[in-house]
Amino acid sequence: MDWEKIVEQIPTAIEKVRKDYVLNNMIIKDDIFGILEKHCTVVYYPIEDEINCGFHTKRFVKDKLEDFVYINTAKSVAEQVFVAAHELGHVWGVAAQVWELAGEQGILESQIEERIINRFAAELLMPAKEFRKTFWVHMEKLGLDSNKLRLVDMIRVMVLQMNDYMVPYESVRRRAIETKIITQKIGDVLLKNEETILPLVNAFSKDQNTMLDRVTAKKTIPGLRDLLETVEKSGELSIYTINRIKRDFDIDNINGTDDIVEISIEGGKHEEN
């Protein structure tokens, strides 16, 4: 397996999915959730003691194989964003596309597939050109000299980039190596000193108006309320089951009104041109 050749194909795969799925914004950030929801069923639910940030699976629904993605909302928003991009890669079958583009003939093993998908997620969320540009913009604004850059200042810039792309520190560290902003050797030093660095990351994050560390603890499946209302009217599920789902996802009953609301639009009924 030629890893460098595989990596060279990832931007091509990204350009294809950007075109196929009309992804115009280069910086996606938390828009990734909306994109993911368009292409599969997403379950948002917090599990405090779970190490995993999320996963992708396929299930048969009415004789059709459907994609499902779970996002652990007990994790920070930054972690949720990256795992959403990662699982989107699985939904789109990016690893197989890249493997074929690279001309690889062997079996695509799960370990290699995960490695490809991780790189895909990094390049989708942090495009190389934009990532390098924002790095040097922050360096200039902070008046930093790349030839005399202190570790603490490097971390300060990396936190700014975490905020730029709404991703975790480790994702930025890896991307800095991949885009050749820092060498593998420097990247390894950062990893080795993580115990000292992470408190700095947390401190600098708190200095910004950012959602990076926020834990949403969200409990939902987009469209679940409407689906439950439909199922409840049809009688396909027992009231006990419906109430249990509502309880598990914190869905309150809504007692609305049947009053009619009249809408008046100036110029009369809207007509398409």
Side-chain angles (χ1 to χ4, degrees), residues 260-264:
I260 301 299
V261 178
E262 293 186 3
I263 297 176
S264 176

Side-chain angles (χ1 to χ4, degrees), residues 29-148:
K29 301 177 80 169
D30 55 343
D31 285 346
I32 194 69
F33 298 121
I35 297 169
L36 183 62
E37 289 167 13
K38 288 180 180 178
H39 302 289
C40 66
T41 298
V42 186
V43 179
Y44 299 93
Y45 204 87
I47 302 180
E48 296 286 347
D49 299 326
E50 175 60 55
I51 296 175
N52 202 340
C53 293
F55 62 83
H56 163 254
T57 187
K58 288 180 176 288
R59 291 286 185 270
F60 277 101
V61 178
K62 294 183 179 180
D63 299 324
K64 184 179 178 182
L65 199 58
E66 302 279 1
D67 290 289
F68 291 81
V69 167
Y70 160 71
I71 303 290
N72 187 356
T73 57
K75 302 297 183 181
S76 69
V77 169
E79 290 174 295
Q80 292 180 45
V81 165
F82 193 86
V83 77
H86 178 99
E87 303 309 338
L88 186 63
H90 282 300
V91 172
W92 281 342
V94 168
Q97 295 176 39
V98 170
W99 191 253
E100 184 177 345
L101 285 169
E104 295 288 346
Q105 301 297 322
I107 296 174
L108 177 57
E109 298 178 357
S110 59
Q111 186 176 1
I112 302 302
E113 180 181 3
E114 289 300 307
R115 191 176 175 189
I116 293 173
I117 294 295
N118 266 337
R119 185 63 177 259
F120 162 80
E123 299 209 16
L124 181 66
L125 293 172
M126 298 170 281
K129 182 178 179 180
E130 284 71 19
F131 189 83
R132 290 179 63 87
K133 180 180 178 179
T134 53
F135 178 85
W136 293 113
V137 165
H138 292 314
M139 286 283 289
E140 184 177 349
K141 284 186 176 180
L142 293 173
L144 301 175
D145 184 346
S146 59
N147 295 316
K148 300 177 182 178

Side-chain angles (χ1 to χ4, degrees), residues 133-235:
K133 180 180 178 179
T134 53
F135 178 85
W136 293 113
V137 165
H138 292 314
M139 286 283 289
E140 184 177 349
K141 284 186 176 180
L142 293 173
L144 301 175
D145 184 346
S146 59
N147 295 316
K148 300 177 182 178
L149 189 61
R150 298 182 304 163
L151 176 61
V152 66
D153 290 326
M154 178 67 188
I155 302 306
R156 190 188 301 273
V157 174
M158 292 174 75
V159 170
L160 290 171
Q161 287 195 285
M162 287 168 60
N163 197 41
D164 288 336
Y165 303 97
M166 203 174 283
V167 292
Y169 163 75
E170 176 59 15
S171 300
V172 170
R173 184 192 72 84
R174 289 174 180 267
R175 197 68 180 130
I177 299 170
E178 292 165 359
T179 56
K180 304 188 186 307
I181 289 174
I182 61 174
T183 63
Q184 182 66 56
K185 183 178 179 180
I186 296 299
D188 291 342
V189 169
L190 294 175
L191 183 60
K192 184 179 179 180
N193 291 278
E194 196 171 78
E195 188 175 337
T196 304
I197 289 171
L198 289 182
L200 290 174
V201 171
N202 292 333
F204 290 142
S205 294
K206 290 178 181 177
D207 290 341
Q208 299 186 65
N209 181 21
T210 177
M211 294 174 57
L212 289 172
D213 298 326
R214 188 165 72 87
V215 173
T216 60
K218 189 175 181 180
K219 297 180 182 179
T220 191
I221 301 174
L224 180 58
R225 180 187 292 277
D226 291 340
L227 179 60
L228 284 175
E229 288 178 357
T230 301
V231 171
E232 191 170 4
K233 290 176 181 177
S234 70

